[in-house]
mmCIF file with all atom_site columns, all heavy atoms in Angstrom:
data_model
loop_
_atom_site.group_PDB
_atom_site.id
_atom_site.type_symbol
_atom_site.label_atom_id
_atom_site.label_alt_id
_atom_site.label_comp_id
_atom_site.label_asym_id
_atom_site.label_entity_id
_atom_site.label_seq_id
_atom_site.pdbx_PDB_ins_code
_atom_site.Cartn_x
_atom_site.Cartn_y
_atom_site.Cartn_z
_atom_site.occupancy
_atom_site.B_iso_or_equiv
_atom_site.pdbx_formal_charge
_atom_site.auth_seq_id
_atom_site.auth_comp_id
_atom_site.auth_asym_id
_atom_site.auth_atom_id
_atom_site.pdbx_PDB_model_num
ATOM 1   N N   . THR A 1 1  ? 167.980 -3.018 -35.976 1.00 82.00 ? 1  THR A N   1
ATOM 2   C CA  . THR A 1 1  ? 166.620 -3.042 -35.431 1.00 82.00 ? 1  THR A CA  1
ATOM 3   C C   . THR A 1 1  ? 166.158 -1.620 -35.097 1.00 82.00 ? 1  THR A C   1
ATOM 4   O O   . THR A 1 1  ? 165.015 -1.234 -35.395 1.00 82.00 ? 1  THR A O   1
ATOM 5   C CB  . THR A 1 1  ? 166.553 -3.937 -34.178 1.00 82.00 ? 1  THR A CB  1
ATOM 6   O OG1 . THR A 1 1  ? 166.965 -5.253 -34.536 1.00 82.00 ? 1  THR A OG1 1
ATOM 7   C CG2 . THR A 1 1  ? 165.155 -3.997 -33.599 1.00 82.00 ? 1  THR A CG2 1
ATOM 8   N N   . ALA A 1 2  ? 167.037 -0.842 -34.509 1.00 85.00 ? 2  ALA A N   1
ATOM 9   C CA  . ALA A 1 2  ? 166.692 0.557  -34.179 1.00 85.00 ? 2  ALA A CA  1
ATOM 10  C C   . ALA A 1 2  ? 166.408 1.345  -35.453 1.00 85.00 ? 2  ALA A C   1
ATOM 11  O O   . ALA A 1 2  ? 165.441 2.129  -35.502 1.00 85.00 ? 2  ALA A O   1
ATOM 12  C CB  . ALA A 1 2  ? 167.820 1.203  -33.385 1.00 85.00 ? 2  ALA A CB  1
ATOM 13  N N   . ALA A 1 3  ? 167.220 1.138  -36.477 1.00 82.00 ? 3  ALA A N   1
ATOM 14  C CA  . ALA A 1 3  ? 166.992 1.834  -37.748 1.00 82.00 ? 3  ALA A CA  1
ATOM 15  C C   . ALA A 1 3  ? 165.660 1.404  -38.358 1.00 82.00 ? 3  ALA A C   1
ATOM 16  O O   . ALA A 1 3  ? 164.910 2.226  -38.897 1.00 82.00 ? 3  ALA A O   1
ATOM 17  C CB  . ALA A 1 3  ? 168.136 1.562  -38.713 1.00 82.00 ? 3  ALA A CB  1
ATOM 18  N N   . ARG A 1 4  ? 165.346 0.100  -38.284 1.00 81.00 ? 4  ARG A N   1
ATOM 19  C CA  . ARG A 1 4  ? 164.083 -0.400 -38.827 1.00 81.00 ? 4  ARG A CA  1
ATOM 20  C C   . ARG A 1 4  ? 162.901 0.200  -38.077 1.00 81.00 ? 4  ARG A C   1
ATOM 21  O O   . ARG A 1 4  ? 161.906 0.639  -38.670 1.00 81.00 ? 4  ARG A O   1
ATOM 22  C CB  . ARG A 1 4  ? 164.055 -1.936 -38.758 1.00 81.00 ? 4  ARG A CB  1
ATOM 23  C CG  . ARG A 1 4  ? 162.839 -2.527 -39.465 1.00 81.00 ? 4  ARG A CG  1
ATOM 24  C CD  . ARG A 1 4  ? 162.878 -4.046 -39.546 1.00 81.00 ? 4  ARG A CD  1
ATOM 25  N NE  . ARG A 1 4  ? 162.812 -4.638 -38.215 1.00 81.00 ? 4  ARG A NE  1
ATOM 26  C CZ  . ARG A 1 4  ? 163.661 -5.542 -37.742 1.00 81.00 ? 4  ARG A CZ  1
ATOM 27  N NH1 . ARG A 1 4  ? 164.630 -5.981 -38.493 1.00 81.00 ? 4  ARG A NH1 1
ATOM 28  N NH2 . ARG A 1 4  ? 163.536 -6.017 -36.535 1.00 81.00 ? 4  ARG A NH2 1
ATOM 29  N N   . VAL A 1 5  ? 162.989 0.255  -36.744 1.00 83.00 ? 5  VAL A N   1
ATOM 30  C CA  . VAL A 1 5  ? 161.907 0.840  -35.942 1.00 83.00 ? 5  VAL A CA  1
ATOM 31  C C   . VAL A 1 5  ? 161.751 2.315  -36.271 1.00 83.00 ? 5  VAL A C   1
ATOM 32  O O   . VAL A 1 5  ? 160.615 2.821  -36.398 1.00 83.00 ? 5  VAL A O   1
ATOM 33  C CB  . VAL A 1 5  ? 162.179 0.619  -34.429 1.00 83.00 ? 5  VAL A CB  1
ATOM 34  C CG1 . VAL A 1 5  ? 161.236 1.445  -33.571 1.00 83.00 ? 5  VAL A CG1 1
ATOM 35  C CG2 . VAL A 1 5  ? 162.062 -0.859 -34.083 1.00 83.00 ? 5  VAL A CG2 1
ATOM 36  N N   . LEU A 1 6  ? 162.839 3.023  -36.433 1.00 84.00 ? 6  LEU A N   1
ATOM 37  C CA  . LEU A 1 6  ? 162.776 4.434  -36.789 1.00 84.00 ? 6  LEU A CA  1
ATOM 38  C C   . LEU A 1 6  ? 162.114 4.625  -38.155 1.00 84.00 ? 6  LEU A C   1
ATOM 39  O O   . LEU A 1 6  ? 161.237 5.492  -38.319 1.00 84.00 ? 6  LEU A O   1
ATOM 40  C CB  . LEU A 1 6  ? 164.187 5.034  -36.797 1.00 84.00 ? 6  LEU A CB  1
ATOM 41  C CG  . LEU A 1 6  ? 164.284 6.515  -37.172 1.00 84.00 ? 6  LEU A CG  1
ATOM 42  C CD1 . LEU A 1 6  ? 163.602 7.377  -36.112 1.00 84.00 ? 6  LEU A CD1 1
ATOM 43  C CD2 . LEU A 1 6  ? 165.721 6.928  -37.347 1.00 84.00 ? 6  LEU A CD2 1
ATOM 44  N N   . LEU A 1 7  ? 162.495 3.796  -39.124 1.00 80.00 ? 7  LEU A N   1
ATOM 45  C CA  . LEU A 1 7  ? 161.871 3.889  -40.447 1.00 80.00 ? 7  LEU A CA  1
ATOM 46  C C   . LEU A 1 7  ? 160.384 3.529  -40.396 1.00 80.00 ? 7  LEU A C   1
ATOM 47  O O   . LEU A 1 7  ? 159.563 4.121  -41.096 1.00 80.00 ? 7  LEU A O   1
ATOM 48  C CB  . LEU A 1 7  ? 162.603 2.989  -41.449 1.00 80.00 ? 7  LEU A CB  1
ATOM 49  C CG  . LEU A 1 7  ? 163.990 3.484  -41.898 1.00 80.00 ? 7  LEU A CG  1
ATOM 50  C CD1 . LEU A 1 7  ? 164.681 2.422  -42.741 1.00 80.00 ? 7  LEU A CD1 1
ATOM 51  C CD2 . LEU A 1 7  ? 163.868 4.785  -42.669 1.00 80.00 ? 7  LEU A CD2 1
ATOM 52  N N   . GLN A 1 8  ? 160.030 2.539  -39.580 1.00 81.00 ? 8  GLN A N   1
ATOM 53  C CA  . GLN A 1 8  ? 158.612 2.182  -39.432 1.00 81.00 ? 8  GLN A CA  1
ATOM 54  C C   . GLN A 1 8  ? 157.821 3.344  -38.838 1.00 81.00 ? 8  GLN A C   1
ATOM 55  O O   . GLN A 1 8  ? 156.709 3.659  -39.283 1.00 81.00 ? 8  GLN A O   1
ATOM 56  C CB  . GLN A 1 8  ? 158.455 0.942  -38.537 1.00 81.00 ? 8  GLN A CB  1
ATOM 57  C CG  . GLN A 1 8  ? 158.863 -0.338 -39.182 1.00 81.00 ? 8  GLN A CG  1
ATOM 58  C CD  . GLN A 1 8  ? 158.835 -1.502 -38.180 1.00 81.00 ? 8  GLN A CD  1
ATOM 59  O OE1 . GLN A 1 8  ? 158.719 -1.313 -36.972 1.00 81.00 ? 8  GLN A OE1 1
ATOM 60  N NE2 . GLN A 1 8  ? 158.946 -2.705 -38.710 1.00 81.00 ? 8  GLN A NE2 1
ATOM 61  N N   . THR A 1 9  ? 158.418 3.980  -37.836 1.00 83.00 ? 9  THR A N   1
ATOM 62  C CA  . THR A 1 9  ? 157.744 5.118  -37.208 1.00 83.00 ? 9  THR A CA  1
ATOM 63  C C   . THR A 1 9  ? 157.555 6.245  -38.216 1.00 83.00 ? 9  THR A C   1
ATOM 64  O O   . THR A 1 9  ? 156.467 6.846  -38.300 1.00 83.00 ? 9  THR A O   1
ATOM 65  C CB  . THR A 1 9  ? 158.558 5.618  -36.001 1.00 83.00 ? 9  THR A CB  1
ATOM 66  O OG1 . THR A 1 9  ? 158.762 4.530  -35.109 1.00 83.00 ? 9  THR A OG1 1
ATOM 67  C CG2 . THR A 1 9  ? 157.850 6.740  -35.276 1.00 83.00 ? 9  THR A CG2 1
ATOM 68  N N   . GLN A 1 10 ? 158.567 6.504  -38.988 1.00 82.00 ? 10 GLN A N   1
ATOM 69  C CA  . GLN A 1 10 ? 158.448 7.552  -40.000 1.00 82.00 ? 10 GLN A CA  1
ATOM 70  C C   . GLN A 1 10 ? 157.444 7.158  -41.080 1.00 82.00 ? 10 GLN A C   1
ATOM 71  O O   . GLN A 1 10 ? 156.700 8.010  -41.576 1.00 82.00 ? 10 GLN A O   1
ATOM 72  C CB  . GLN A 1 10 ? 159.825 7.840  -40.627 1.00 82.00 ? 10 GLN A CB  1
ATOM 73  C CG  . GLN A 1 10 ? 160.762 8.573  -39.685 1.00 82.00 ? 10 GLN A CG  1
ATOM 74  C CD  . GLN A 1 10 ? 162.119 8.825  -40.311 1.00 82.00 ? 10 GLN A CD  1
ATOM 75  O OE1 . GLN A 1 10 ? 162.466 8.269  -41.346 1.00 82.00 ? 10 GLN A OE1 1
ATOM 76  N NE2 . GLN A 1 10 ? 162.904 9.677  -39.661 1.00 82.00 ? 10 GLN A NE2 1
ATOM 77  N N   . GLY A 1 11 ? 157.431 5.857  -41.424 1.00 81.00 ? 11 GLY A N   1
ATOM 78  C CA  . GLY A 1 11 ? 156.465 5.385  -42.423 1.00 81.00 ? 11 GLY A CA  1
ATOM 79  C C   . GLY A 1 11 ? 155.043 5.533  -41.939 1.00 81.00 ? 11 GLY A C   1
ATOM 80  O O   . GLY A 1 11 ? 154.149 5.942  -42.694 1.00 81.00 ? 11 GLY A O   1
ATOM 81  N N   . ARG A 1 12 ? 154.815 5.203  -40.671 1.00 81.00 ? 12 ARG A N   1
ATOM 82  C CA  . ARG A 1 12 ? 153.457 5.355  -40.114 1.00 81.00 ? 12 ARG A CA  1
ATOM 83  C C   . ARG A 1 12 ? 153.060 6.833  -40.055 1.00 81.00 ? 12 ARG A C   1
ATOM 84  O O   . ARG A 1 12 ? 151.905 7.196  -40.304 1.00 81.00 ? 12 ARG A O   1
ATOM 85  C CB  . ARG A 1 12 ? 153.392 4.721  -38.729 1.00 81.00 ? 12 ARG A CB  1
ATOM 86  C CG  . ARG A 1 12 ? 153.404 3.227  -38.779 1.00 81.00 ? 12 ARG A CG  1
ATOM 87  C CD  . ARG A 1 12 ? 153.172 2.605  -37.406 1.00 81.00 ? 12 ARG A CD  1
ATOM 88  N NE  . ARG A 1 12 ? 153.442 1.179  -37.480 1.00 81.00 ? 12 ARG A NE  1
ATOM 89  C CZ  . ARG A 1 12 ? 154.343 0.534  -36.764 1.00 81.00 ? 12 ARG A CZ  1
ATOM 90  N NH1 . ARG A 1 12 ? 155.070 1.188  -35.887 1.00 81.00 ? 12 ARG A NH1 1
ATOM 91  N NH2 . ARG A 1 12 ? 154.519 -0.755 -36.910 1.00 81.00 ? 12 ARG A NH2 1
ATOM 92  N N   . SER A 1 13 ? 154.024 7.660  -39.699 1.00 83.00 ? 13 SER A N   1
ATOM 93  C CA  . SER A 1 13 ? 153.734 9.104  -39.662 1.00 83.00 ? 13 SER A CA  1
ATOM 94  C C   . SER A 1 13 ? 153.401 9.607  -41.060 1.00 83.00 ? 13 SER A C   1
ATOM 95  O O   . SER A 1 13 ? 152.497 10.435 -41.237 1.00 83.00 ? 13 SER A O   1
ATOM 96  C CB  . SER A 1 13 ? 154.931 9.874  -39.119 1.00 83.00 ? 13 SER A CB  1
ATOM 97  O OG  . SER A 1 13 ? 155.194 9.513  -37.802 1.00 83.00 ? 13 SER A OG  1
ATOM 98  N N   . ALA A 1 14 ? 154.102 9.086  -42.062 1.00 81.00 ? 14 ALA A N   1
ATOM 99  C CA  . ALA A 1 14 ? 153.854 9.516  -43.444 1.00 81.00 ? 14 ALA A CA  1
ATOM 100 C C   . ALA A 1 14 ? 152.493 9.042  -43.925 1.00 81.00 ? 14 ALA A C   1
ATOM 101 O O   . ALA A 1 14 ? 151.826 9.733  -44.708 1.00 81.00 ? 14 ALA A O   1
ATOM 102 C CB  . ALA A 1 14 ? 154.956 8.995  -44.356 1.00 81.00 ? 14 ALA A CB  1
ATOM 103 N N   . THR A 1 15 ? 152.001 7.866  -43.452 1.00 81.00 ? 15 THR A N   1
ATOM 104 C CA  . THR A 1 15 ? 150.676 7.386  -43.868 1.00 81.00 ? 15 THR A CA  1
ATOM 105 C C   . THR A 1 15 ? 149.570 8.272  -43.322 1.00 81.00 ? 15 THR A C   1
ATOM 106 O O   . THR A 1 15 ? 148.510 8.379  -43.921 1.00 81.00 ? 15 THR A O   1
ATOM 107 C CB  . THR A 1 15 ? 150.442 5.927  -43.417 1.00 81.00 ? 15 THR A CB  1
ATOM 108 O OG1 . THR A 1 15 ? 150.604 5.818  -42.024 1.00 81.00 ? 15 THR A OG1 1
ATOM 109 C CG2 . THR A 1 15 ? 151.333 4.973  -44.153 1.00 81.00 ? 15 THR A CG2 1
ATOM 110 N N   . MET A 1 16 ? 149.821 8.932  -42.199 1.00 83.00 ? 16 MET A N   1
ATOM 111 C CA  . MET A 1 16 ? 148.814 9.847  -41.659 1.00 83.00 ? 16 MET A CA  1
ATOM 112 C C   . MET A 1 16 ? 148.588 11.034 -42.586 1.00 83.00 ? 16 MET A C   1
ATOM 113 O O   . MET A 1 16 ? 147.526 11.621 -42.583 1.00 83.00 ? 16 MET A O   1
ATOM 114 C CB  . MET A 1 16 ? 149.253 10.351 -40.283 1.00 83.00 ? 16 MET A CB  1
ATOM 115 C CG  . MET A 1 16 ? 149.088 9.368  -39.182 1.00 83.00 ? 16 MET A CG  1
ATOM 116 S SD  . MET A 1 16 ? 149.354 10.209 -37.619 1.00 83.00 ? 16 MET A SD  1
ATOM 117 C CE  . MET A 1 16 ? 150.589 9.165  -36.934 1.00 83.00 ? 16 MET A CE  1
ATOM 118 N N   . PHE A 1 17 ? 149.601 11.350 -43.363 1.00 83.00 ? 17 PHE A N   1
ATOM 119 C CA  . PHE A 1 17 ? 149.489 12.484 -44.285 1.00 83.00 ? 17 PHE A CA  1
ATOM 120 C C   . PHE A 1 17 ? 149.181 12.029 -45.708 1.00 83.00 ? 17 PHE A C   1
ATOM 121 O O   . PHE A 1 17 ? 149.310 12.805 -46.645 1.00 83.00 ? 17 PHE A O   1
ATOM 122 C CB  . PHE A 1 17 ? 150.772 13.314 -44.271 1.00 83.00 ? 17 PHE A CB  1
ATOM 123 C CG  . PHE A 1 17 ? 151.041 13.941 -42.941 1.00 83.00 ? 17 PHE A CG  1
ATOM 124 C CD1 . PHE A 1 17 ? 152.024 13.459 -42.093 1.00 83.00 ? 17 PHE A CD1 1
ATOM 125 C CD2 . PHE A 1 17 ? 150.283 15.029 -42.517 1.00 83.00 ? 17 PHE A CD2 1
ATOM 126 C CE1 . PHE A 1 17 ? 152.262 14.045 -40.867 1.00 83.00 ? 17 PHE A CE1 1
ATOM 127 C CE2 . PHE A 1 17 ? 150.531 15.618 -41.285 1.00 83.00 ? 17 PHE A CE2 1
ATOM 128 C CZ  . PHE A 1 17 ? 151.527 15.132 -40.449 1.00 83.00 ? 17 PHE A CZ  1
ATOM 129 N N   . GLY A 1 18 ? 148.796 10.764 -45.870 1.00 84.00 ? 18 GLY A N   1
ATOM 130 C CA  . GLY A 1 18 ? 148.346 10.259 -47.151 1.00 84.00 ? 18 GLY A CA  1
ATOM 131 C C   . GLY A 1 18 ? 149.400 9.550  -47.981 1.00 84.00 ? 18 GLY A C   1
ATOM 132 O O   . GLY A 1 18 ? 149.140 9.148  -49.111 1.00 84.00 ? 18 GLY A O   1
ATOM 133 N N   . ALA A 1 19 ? 150.600 9.344  -47.453 1.00 82.00 ? 19 ALA A N   1
ATOM 134 C CA  . ALA A 1 19 ? 151.647 8.610  -48.184 1.00 82.00 ? 19 ALA A CA  1
ATOM 135 C C   . ALA A 1 19 ? 151.348 7.115  -48.115 1.00 82.00 ? 19 ALA A C   1
ATOM 136 O O   . ALA A 1 19 ? 150.670 6.641  -47.209 1.00 82.00 ? 19 ALA A O   1
ATOM 137 C CB  . ALA A 1 19 ? 153.002 8.908  -47.564 1.00 82.00 ? 19 ALA A CB  1
ATOM 138 N N   . PRO A 1 20 ? 151.834 6.362  -49.090 1.00 82.00 ? 20 PRO A N   1
ATOM 139 C CA  . PRO A 1 20 ? 151.590 4.914  -49.060 1.00 82.00 ? 20 PRO A CA  1
ATOM 140 C C   . PRO A 1 20 ? 152.307 4.269  -47.864 1.00 82.00 ? 20 PRO A C   1
ATOM 141 O O   . PRO A 1 20 ? 153.341 4.736  -47.405 1.00 82.00 ? 20 PRO A O   1
ATOM 142 C CB  . PRO A 1 20 ? 152.158 4.417  -50.382 1.00 82.00 ? 20 PRO A CB  1
ATOM 143 C CG  . PRO A 1 20 ? 152.993 5.510  -50.924 1.00 82.00 ? 20 PRO A CG  1
ATOM 144 C CD  . PRO A 1 20 ? 152.588 6.775  -50.253 1.00 82.00 ? 20 PRO A CD  1
ATOM 145 N N   . ASP A 1 21 ? 151.751 3.170  -47.396 1.00 79.00 ? 21 ASP A N   1
ATOM 146 C CA  . ASP A 1 21 ? 152.333 2.443  -46.250 1.00 79.00 ? 21 ASP A CA  1
ATOM 147 C C   . ASP A 1 21 ? 153.446 1.525  -46.759 1.00 79.00 ? 21 ASP A C   1
ATOM 148 O O   . ASP A 1 21 ? 153.198 0.541  -47.436 1.00 79.00 ? 21 ASP A O   1
ATOM 149 C CB  . ASP A 1 21 ? 151.228 1.643  -45.548 1.00 79.00 ? 21 ASP A CB  1
ATOM 150 C CG  . ASP A 1 21 ? 151.726 1.000  -44.267 1.00 79.00 ? 21 ASP A CG  1
ATOM 151 O OD1 . ASP A 1 21 ? 152.838 1.363  -43.803 1.00 79.00 ? 21 ASP A OD1 1
ATOM 152 O OD2 . ASP A 1 21 ? 151.023 0.123  -43.736 1.00 79.00 ? 21 ASP A OD2 1
ATOM 153 N N   . TRP A 1 22 ? 154.656 1.815  -46.442 1.00 76.00 ? 22 TRP A N   1
ATOM 154 C CA  . TRP A 1 22 ? 155.782 1.003  -46.878 1.00 76.00 ? 22 TRP A CA  1
ATOM 155 C C   . TRP A 1 22 ? 156.471 0.308  -45.701 1.00 76.00 ? 22 TRP A C   1
ATOM 156 O O   . TRP A 1 22 ? 157.572 -0.198 -45.803 1.00 76.00 ? 22 TRP A O   1
ATOM 157 C CB  . TRP A 1 22 ? 156.808 1.819  -47.684 1.00 76.00 ? 22 TRP A CB  1
ATOM 158 C CG  . TRP A 1 22 ? 157.085 3.215  -47.179 1.00 76.00 ? 22 TRP A CG  1
ATOM 159 C CD1 . TRP A 1 22 ? 156.341 4.316  -47.445 1.00 76.00 ? 22 TRP A CD1 1
ATOM 160 C CD2 . TRP A 1 22 ? 158.144 3.641  -46.335 1.00 76.00 ? 22 TRP A CD2 1
ATOM 161 N NE1 . TRP A 1 22 ? 156.860 5.417  -46.829 1.00 76.00 ? 22 TRP A NE1 1
ATOM 162 C CE2 . TRP A 1 22 ? 157.995 5.027  -46.133 1.00 76.00 ? 22 TRP A CE2 1
ATOM 163 C CE3 . TRP A 1 22 ? 159.212 3.011  -45.709 1.00 76.00 ? 22 TRP A CE3 1
ATOM 164 C CZ2 . TRP A 1 22 ? 158.846 5.784  -45.358 1.00 76.00 ? 22 TRP A CZ2 1
ATOM 165 C CZ3 . TRP A 1 22 ? 160.065 3.765  -44.948 1.00 76.00 ? 22 TRP A CZ3 1
ATOM 166 C CH2 . TRP A 1 22 ? 159.887 5.136  -44.770 1.00 76.00 ? 22 TRP A CH2 1
ATOM 167 N N   . THR A 1 23 ? 155.817 0.250  -44.545 1.00 76.00 ? 23 THR A N   1
ATOM 168 C CA  . THR A 1 23 ? 156.393 -0.399 -43.367 1.00 76.00 ? 23 THR A CA  1
ATOM 169 C C   . THR A 1 23 ? 156.524 -1.910 -43.541 1.00 76.00 ? 23 THR A C   1
ATOM 170 O O   . THR A 1 23 ? 157.444 -2.513 -42.997 1.00 76.00 ? 23 THR A O   1
ATOM 171 C CB  . THR A 1 23 ? 155.552 -0.090 -42.113 1.00 76.00 ? 23 THR A CB  1
ATOM 172 O OG1 . THR A 1 23 ? 154.208 -0.495 -42.322 1.00 76.00 ? 23 THR A OG1 1
ATOM 173 C CG2 . THR A 1 23 ? 155.619 1.374  -41.763 1.00 76.00 ? 23 THR A CG2 1
ATOM 174 N N   . GLN A 1 24 ? 155.609 -2.546 -44.286 1.00 79.00 ? 24 GLN A N   1
ATOM 175 C CA  . GLN A 1 24 ? 155.702 -3.996 -44.508 1.00 79.00 ? 24 GLN A CA  1
ATOM 176 C C   . GLN A 1 24 ? 156.984 -4.352 -45.275 1.00 79.00 ? 24 GLN A C   1
ATOM 177 O O   . GLN A 1 24 ? 157.639 -5.342 -44.962 1.00 79.00 ? 24 GLN A O   1
ATOM 178 C CB  . GLN A 1 24 ? 154.468 -4.503 -45.275 1.00 79.00 ? 24 GLN A CB  1
ATOM 179 C CG  . GLN A 1 24 ? 153.175 -4.383 -44.500 1.00 79.00 ? 24 GLN A CG  1
ATOM 180 C CD  . GLN A 1 24 ? 153.226 -5.204 -43.222 1.00 79.00 ? 24 GLN A CD  1
ATOM 181 O OE1 . GLN A 1 24 ? 153.805 -6.281 -43.178 1.00 79.00 ? 24 GLN A OE1 1
ATOM 182 N NE2 . GLN A 1 24 ? 152.626 -4.664 -42.162 1.00 79.00 ? 24 GLN A NE2 1
ATOM 183 N N   . ALA A 1 25 ? 157.316 -3.528 -46.266 1.00 76.00 ? 25 ALA A N   1
ATOM 184 C CA  . ALA A 1 25 ? 158.547 -3.764 -47.036 1.00 76.00 ? 25 ALA A CA  1
ATOM 185 C C   . ALA A 1 25 ? 159.775 -3.634 -46.138 1.00 76.00 ? 25 ALA A C   1
ATOM 186 O O   . ALA A 1 25 ? 160.719 -4.418 -46.237 1.00 76.00 ? 25 ALA A O   1
ATOM 187 C CB  . ALA A 1 25 ? 158.625 -2.802 -48.211 1.00 76.00 ? 25 ALA A CB  1
#
């Protein structure tokens, strides 16, 4: 769960810079 939350946080941060949103996956 901690790893998933960390990846979600990084995914959201990456979407701010124009990367695709992969948090749902």
Side-chain angles (χ1 to χ4, degrees):
T1 301
R4 187 173 65 232
V5 169
L6 179 66
L7 287 173
Q8 287 173 348
T9 304
Q10 288 179 347
R12 287 187 191 121
S13 297
T15 56
M16 284 190 234
F17 296 105
D21 187 12
W22 40 277
T23 57
Q24 294 299 324

